Amino acid sequence: MLPLLVPFACIVHAGLVAAQTSASSVSEVATATPSLSVPFTDALPTQVALPPKQPWCPSEIFCAGQPTSQPAQEVLANFQNISSSTTYGEIVQFVENNFKGEGLELEEPEFANLKSDPAFLNNVTAPVVKAFAQTVHGFWKQLIRDTNASTLCTGGSTGCESSLIPLNHTFVVPEANESFEGGRFREQYYWDSFWIVEGLIESELYDVVNATLQNFMDELDNFGFIPNGGRIYYLNRSQPPLFIQMLSRYVAASGDRTILRRALPLAEKEFKWWEDNRSLQVRFASNVTHKVYHYSVNNSAPRPESYLADYTTANVPNTLNDTQKAALYAELASGAETGWDYTVRWFAPTADGSNDGLRSLDVRNTIPIDLNSILSDLYGRDDSEAVSSHREAAAALRAAILDLLWDPTKVGLAIAAITSQLTFILKLAFFDYNLATKSRNSVYSAANFYPLWSGIIPSELLSSSDKAFGYFSSLNLVLNRYNGTFPSTFIASGQQWDAPNTWPPHQYIVLQALRALPSNVTSGALPTPSANQSTFSLIPEGQLGLDESQLPGQPLVGNGGNASTSGQAADLNRLNGTVLNGGNTTDGEGWGKALERQLANRYIASAFCSWRATGGSIDGVVPRLSPQELNVTQSVNNTGNMFEKFSNLDIDSAGRGGEYTVQASVFLMYRCASLLMLNEINQAGFGWTNGVVLWVSSHYGGVLVQPDCPSLLVSTTRNNSKNGAVRLNGNGSPTVALVTMFIGLLLHYLVL
């Protein structure tokens, strides 16, 4: 009857419980103490009708984000006893009386086998980069968790209720900070774990990798698939299926093949889940029918972990009918299953490019480049008894990707005064396919590079160095034109998986794609633009789908404007044979190795400079910035943050936008449905960021140089963005409108 109870508990409870200590191996859990932005005596408004109960979520308390302190039926009865004229203060008191603190279900295990000098550090020559990589290596101690069995809820009529899926083995949470045990992400996540595993392997923590895989195998045993994350509210969706890739990397690195006896039958089980639940047949213009895959979640209510965000999307303004809202909720959940939540890449294509924000999501009609590439690789890596049939399936899926998603040329019709003729414009890129339009979408994204990572290399790239470079020419533009790394897309939509945000997994994928090309097509010199031209002129005409003037601007430090959008001046980071924060050129270096070197250095610079800008330091190697400098990022009491995403406009900065925004020392996040401000948080993590730092350091350590971090004391126009991730203006606070709306929503259900 009251499925929205605990999302509300999240909005008012996080931090209202005093610090607690459970098992002896668990460090003290500190919780923040936010204040309501309205008087406790104010009454609550009402909102819209209750969404349908979801079959995958049996809890009457809507899959609690934090455990109850008593049996669920008692909590529900207590909530029923609150009068219809309740106030904010009464709700706060109710939450204090009925819920435990967050993060108590996990504990930090004894961890004695972390080597101080893992072998990969021998590959790193620059002292500052080596010290930074060693520091990041040490962060695993803060991110490794066990399930705290002593605090688990037993359920039923006598126990508490919780959303946690208990795990039997050690695992790594994406982040941790001093105020919340595990930060926003207090559980194991599926696709994050691939890049975490890459880092753990470099750190020689093979036992933790094995434990991670055992947890996923337990979930395959119990649920038949690997859910998005370790909460019961994720049991209606998965994430990009990288289990077999993790398994392959572990076996190759550790030499442990005994795990395969259990793992391969369960990998088969995962294959079948994706085939049964996410596959479909598509006939393309070639008149060939292909089996391909898409993300498609059966869901008709807001996601519990992002309830307020979904509710607002569907109801503000309140112009959708119930059927439309249900479809939108399914799209939102499907978008979360992609891992890219959210991006214009998932929006329904329109003739003029317009959209209605997240209400334009069309995920279920999209055949994604990355998902199908991952699944083709998943089939291809299997060495079970079914290897022959799996290789056939992999070959068929790879053929489908090349037929449906690869676009070497764009055909247009040129009409002259008397005659007409077909024209061919090079694109040389992969694009998602849309089932509704029966054509490829036009949004160019970082997903373009997944096929090469999976070994799907179009013949055009293998036969021509010029075309191979054309495929990577957008990367060359980014390194010359922008301060950071490769963005998810080149469209600044405000969504977190669009420009200017860049993500560690994508930098890894781009580097692996470069490594996949044979040297005979990458050994030539790096092309340079003609006089008075920028690197945009080297990109195939139809690839980005944008004019040069439509690209996001690169703000200039100090002058309050953007760099030139055309001509040589647009490539403001171009140096002699390299780029700013791109390392040093070497004799005989081909364009492929040059781009690898530049991107690897730029990634390390993004991670290092944003960590240093938020208080990071290393005794005797990296001095701490002055209080004046750290005050710019409100990090005077911080010791450095490792962010989940970066900005390609400012390497001192984290990324921006999305349902939760990481800010340097003000961590604005959604937890369940909450909008919570936490001051002065030291964040360890982010898991995949750390993993890619260690992988890059290991594979490119010989060409990495000390990053040149921009001054924090020189202002730029980007610092005033409302989504600015590091340099903040004012402290900010949750708005009365958001808090009032959501609390009112709950009261409406209370009095039904």
Side-chain angles (χ1 to χ4, degrees):
M1 178 179 179
L2 299 171
L4 299 182
L5 176 56
V6 167
F8 170 69
C10 293
I11 202 170
V12 293
H13 181 58
L16 295 177
V17 180
Q20 302 176 51
T21 302
S22 50
S24 59
S25 61
V26 185
S27 62
E28 185 176 84
V29 179
T31 52
T33 55
S35 300
L36 287 175
S37 52
V38 294
F40 272 43
T41 54
D42 279 12
L44 308 177
T46 60
Q47 294 290 330
V48 302
L50 187 69
K53 184 176 178 180
Q54 305 300 296
W56 45 267
C57 186
S59 173
E60 289 294 328
I61 310 182
F62 211 55
C63 302
Q66 55 201 72
T68 63
S69 58
Q70 51 194 310
Q73 292 307 311
E74 291 184 27
V75 177
L76 291 167
N78 292 340
F79 193 64
Q80 290 280 17
N81 290 333
I82 299 176
S83 70
S84 60
S85 58
T86 189
T87 64
Y88 288 85
E90 290 173 304
I91 295 294
V92 169
Q93 187 63 52
F94 162 78
V95 173
E96 287 185 299
N97 293 342
N98 289 274
F99 293 91
K100 299 178 182 178
E102 301 185 31
L104 302 180
E105 302 148 315
L106 307 180
E107 63 185 8
E108 297 178 13
E110 295 291 335
F111 191 59
N113 63 336
L114 184 69
K115 296 181 179 179
S116 60
D117 293 293
F120 84 89
L121 290 174
N122 295 326
N123 301 336
V124 187
T125 55
V128 168
V129 177
K130 184 172 185 176
F132 177 59
Q134 188 171 31
T135 298
V136 173
H137 161 73
F139 288 159
W140 296 128
K141 291 184 291 186
Q142 301 175 54
L143 298 174
I144 290 176
R145 296 286 184 273
D146 283 336
T147 300
N148 186 358
S150 67
T151 67
L152 292 181
C153 293
T154 59
S157 60
T158 59
C160 61
E161 183 164 322
S162 169
S163 65
L164 184 73
I165 298 174
L167 299 178
N168 298 319
H169 308 276
T170 297
F171 57 98
V172 177
V173 295
E175 63 169 331
N177 57 61
E178 66 183 15
S179 294
F180 278 85
E181 187 74 5
R184 181 187 193 267
F185 303 101
R186 297 181 188 86
E187 50 278 320
Q188 180 170 274
Y189 280 83
Y190 187 5
W191 87 309
D192 293 57
S193 295
F194 174 81
W195 290 278
I196 289 171
V197 161
E198 285 283 31
L200 292 171
I201 287 172
E202 298 299 342
S203 293
E204 301 172 40
L205 293 172
Y206 302 119
D207 56 336
V208 182
V209 179
N210 185 293
T212 297
L213 293 168
Q214 296 294 341
N215 285 325
F216 287 139
M217 289 188 277
D218 289 346
E219 291 180 328
L220 285 166
D221 265 333
N222 294 331
F223 310 125
F225 76 108
I226 299 174
N228 184 148
R231 297 281 168 181
I232 62 174
Y233 48 68
Y234 290 134
L235 289 177
N236 69 334
R237 67 181 192 256
S238 187
Q239 268 193 328
L242 292 165
F243 170 73
I244 198 76
Q245 285 88 343
M246 285 184 260
L247 178 66
S248 177
R249 288 289 296 117
Y250 168 71
V251 172
S254 69
D256 175 17
R257 297 185 63 84
T258 62
I259 194 174
L260 296 176
R261 179 174 297 180
R262 183 188 185 203
L264 290 180
L266 291 171
E268 189 82 30
K269 198 170 188 177
E270 185 176 39
F271 298 161
K272 189 171 189 315
W273 186 89
W274 283 91
E275 285 200 348
D276 291 348
N277 296 280
R278 299 293 189 266
S279 70
L280 68 169
Q281 302 287 330
V282 175
R283 182 184 294 273
F284 192 48
S286 61
N287 207 30
V288 176
T289 299
H290 299 290
K291 178 194 284 186
V292 289
Y293 297 82
H294 67 151
Y295 296 105
S296 182
V297 178
N298 183 19
N299 180 63
S300 57
R303 294 166 296 149
E305 79 279 10
S306 294
Y307 200 100
L308 177 58
D310 287 5
Y311 170 84
T312 304
T313 298
N315 291 284
V316 180
N318 192 12
T319 57
L320 303 180
N321 61 39
D322 289 345
T323 300
Q324 292 170 321
K325 289 177 184 178
L328 177 55
Y329 290 139
E331 290 294 332
L332 288 162
S334 299
E337 186 173 61
T338 73
W340 294 43
D341 43 340
Y342 296 97
T343 164
V344 294
R345 182 184 168 205
W346 307 132
F347 288 4
T350 57
D352 62 358
S354 62
N355 64 73
D356 191 20
L358 292 181
R359 291 189 176 190
S360 296
L361 284 171
D362 197 29
V363 182
R364 294 175 295 171
N365 269 330
T366 303
I367 306 301
I369 307 161
D370 38 354
L371 172 62
N372 286 274
S373 299
I374 289 168
L375 283 166
S376 76
D377 197 29
L378 180 148
Y379 281 121
R381 288 178 185 263
D382 182 43
D383 61 354
S384 68
E385 294 178 359
V387 62
S388 179
S389 62
H390 285 166
R391 285 179 177 168
E392 290 178 6
L397 185 51
R398 292 177 183 214
I401 290 168
L402 289 171
D403 190 25
L404 282 173
L405 310 179
W406 171 244
D407 198 345
T409 60
K410 177 181 180 181
V411 180
L413 187 65
I415 302 178
I418 300 175
T419 181
S420 64
Q421 61 182 13
L422 290 176
T423 60
F424 297 89
I425 301 172
L426 281 179
K427 298 188 80 170
L428 295 175
F430 290 92
F431 295 89
D432 301 316
Y433 183 84
N434 189 276
L435 297 172
T437 64
K438 297 182 180 179
S439 63
R440 300 184 188 101
N441 289 345
S442 61
V443 175
Y444 178 84
S445 73
N448 171 60
F449 299 105
Y450 275 75
L452 267 65
W453 176 48
S454 299
I456 305 170
I457 307 177
S459 59
E460 292 88 347
L461 309 189
L462 294 172
S463 61
S464 168
S465 179
D466 289 343
K467 290 182 178 178
F469 174 78
Y471 178 79
F472 284 100
S473 56
S474 61
L475 171 62
N476 184 52
L477 174 140
V478 166
L479 294 168
N480 281 273
R481 193 182 192 100
Y482 298 106
N483 292 342
T485 52
F486 198 85
S488 301
T489 72
F490 285 86
I491 300 171
S493 70
Q495 301 300 329
Q496 67 168 348
W497 287 84
D498 287 323
N501 288 351
T502 78
W503 294 79
H506 291 166
Q507 314 318 309
Y508 171 95
I509 296 297
V510 176
L511 287 167
Q512 290 282 34
L514 280 163
R515 295 161 70 92
L517 281 179
S519 60
N520 66 299
V521 295
T522 62
S523 57
L526 190 65
T528 57
S530 302
N532 300 319
Q533 296 290 314
S534 73
T535 47
F536 181 85
S537 66
L538 302 176
I539 298 176
E541 185 176 352
Q543 189 176 92
L544 299 186
L546 300 169
D547 295 331
E548 186 171 13
S549 62
Q550 294 176 293
L551 293 174
Q554 170 61 61
L556 294 175
V557 174
N559 76 347
N562 289 333
S564 173
T565 59
S566 63
Q568 291 181 338
D571 294 332
L572 77 167
N573 285 313
R574 182 180 176 186
L575 302 175
N576 184 22
T578 188
V579 294
L580 183 65
N581 278 314
N584 300 318
T585 187
T586 59
D587 292 338
E589 183 181 51
W591 66 260
K593 291 300 181 184
L595 292 179
E596 285 185 59
R597 167 181 52 78
Q598 292 172 15
L599 180 58
N601 272 279
R602 192 68 67 79
Y603 177 74
I604 293 296
S606 294
F608 173 83
C609 293
S610 57
W611 166 81
R612 184 170 180 255
T614 52
S617 63
I618 303 171
D619 288 346
V621 182
V622 181
R624 183 173 173 82
L625 295 178
S626 69
Q628 182 185 12
E629 291 170 300
L630 293 177
N631 189 55
V632 174
T633 61
Q634 298 184 17
S635 300
V636 173
N637 296 320
N638 278 11
T639 56
N641 295 346
M642 296 291 290
F643 295 107
E644 66 167 345
K645 58 183 180 283
F646 302 109
S647 167
N648 82 331
L649 306 180
D650 182 2
I651 61 172
D652 280 341
S653 172
R656 60 196 68 176
E659 297 171 345
Y660 48 91
T661 303
V662 181
Q663 300 187 327
S665 55
V666 178
F667 190 105
L668 172 62
M669 72 178 182
Y670 283 102
R671 177 58 189 169
C672 292
S674 65
L675 182 63
L676 180 65
M677 303 297 291
L678 305 179
N679 288 310
E680 302 274 338
I681 288 182
N682 292 320
Q683 181 192 23
F686 198 85
W688 64 20
T689 306
N690 300 358
V692 177
V693 164
L694 301 184
W695 183 86
V696 168
S697 297
S698 175
H699 288 77
Y700 295 96
V703 297
L704 298 177
V705 302
Q706 179 175 332
D708 180 8
C709 301
S711 171
L712 290 172
L713 299 180
V714 181
S715 64
T716 70
T717 55
R718 61 187 176 276
N719 300 339
N720 296 321
S721 167
K722 65 180 179 180
N723 291 319
V726 169
R727 304 180 191 178
L728 305 177
N729 295 314
N731 294 323
S733 64
T735 64
V736 174
L738 286 174
V739 177
T740 302
M741 178 190 69
F742 190 62
I743 296 179
L745 169 66
L746 288 165
L747 179 60
H748 178 67
Y749 301 136
L750 172 65
V751 298
L752 287 178

